[in-house]
Amino acid sequence: MTPRNKDRLDQLAALLNGKGVLHLRDAARQLGVSEMTVRRDIAGETARFAYLGGHIMPAERVEPEQPYQLAIQADRHADAKRAACRFALDHIHAEDTVFVDCGTTLQHLIDIIPQSMPLTVVCYALNIAEQLAISSHIRLILLGGLYHPETASFSGPQGLDTLDRVGINTAFLSAAGLDPLRGATCAHFHEVAVKQKAIATAQKNLLVIDNSKLGRVKPAFFANADVFDVIYTEDGVLALEEAA
């Protein structure tokens, strides 16, 4: 460990002594480094720091029930998203090549993919890639470009060019809003080109959302509702008229 790394870790420990829990984004800002640097620093210090649901805390504070409670606070619709992903899982088959969108919904899909299933997975978000990278049966294609910390995702022509060269069986998309007339929308414009390219490339497109997204319209439009072969919520298949 370099002196600079040690200083950062000591600063982080001091911040946690005062706050108890610190979001990764806030820790990076206060330490004056990138989120990836903070993740690298704490990865080798598991005796001092725990990283759960995007939050850092002293390792001694982690109790068996704490990760679950913390995850609920970070994502209050987690149960609904997990249920929607269980329906979508039926569309993943061994040896498939699938695209997985950014956001928190499809993290739950990654969690329930059988560990022994051989797949090629294309993604453009770090939170998705980190989950996939630990599986020896998954060939991971991470689309690069400009990093957007607000969504932990990448955008740029490099990623779009890669999508042109990959044969995708099924694209799993997420959205911040779905309206029958306005279609599927998201909060960040940099996601639009990647989503649209994945939709245009894939043989089959699935939208996976929870019911809280229905009837909502966000700034960045990326697809009409009828583009999707299937739309899943926690209640199963969604008919378009139900999205109002």
Side-chain angles (χ1 to χ4, degrees), residues 101-107 125 127-128 151 174 191:
D101 207 350
C102 66
T104 58
T105 296
L106 294 171
Q107 290 183 178
N127 61 319
I128 302 295
T151 56
S174 60
E191 299 175 16

Side-chain angles (χ1 to χ4, degrees), residues 36-207:
M36 194 173 294
T37 296
V38 178
R39 289 292 305 273
R40 281 199 300 264
D41 284 350
I42 65 175
E45 295 289 323
T46 55
R48 296 180 69 185
F49 305 103
Y51 180 74
L52 300 166
H55 296 73
I56 305 169
M57 65 184 66
E60 64 267 22
R61 289 193 53 190
V62 178
E63 299 174 356
E65 74 278 9
Q66 193 165 6
Y68 178 71
Q69 293 296 330
L70 187 59
I72 287 178
Q73 293 176 21
D75 183 1
R76 60 196 177 108
H77 300 296
D79 289 341
K81 293 176 179 180
R82 190 175 300 111
C85 285
R86 289 195 188 101
F87 290 111
L89 182 64
D90 289 340
H91 295 268
I92 297 181
H93 309 286
E95 307 296 344
D96 274 357
T97 297
V98 301
F99 170 85
V100 178
D101 207 350
C102 66
T104 58
T105 296
L106 294 171
Q107 290 183 178
H108 301 290
L109 180 65
I110 304 304
D111 284 340
I112 58 176
I113 293 174
Q115 292 187 0
S116 60
M117 181 180 288
L119 291 171
T120 298
V121 182
V122 184
C123 69
Y124 64 112
L126 284 182
N127 61 319
I128 302 295
E130 287 174 346
Q131 291 178 262
L132 294 166
I134 62 175
S135 174
S136 60
H137 294 278
I138 288 180
R139 180 166 54 183
L140 171 63
I141 301 175
L142 176 60
L143 306 179
L146 177 66
Y147 179 65
H148 301 269
E150 66 273 20
T151 56
S153 61
F154 297 87
S155 69
Q158 306 96 317
L160 301 180
D161 290 344
T162 299
L163 281 172
D164 277 331
R165 297 193 296 270
V166 178
I168 297 174
N169 299 109
T170 305
F172 295 87
L173 286 301
S174 60
L178 179 67
D179 181 84
L181 298 179
R182 193 63 187 93
T185 54
C186 58
H188 302 281
F189 286 94
H190 72 264
E191 299 175 16
V192 171
V194 184
K195 292 174 186 282
Q196 291 180 336
K197 178 67 76 171
I199 290 170
T201 304
Q203 291 180 313
K204 181 167 57 177
N205 293 293
L206 273 64
L207 182 65

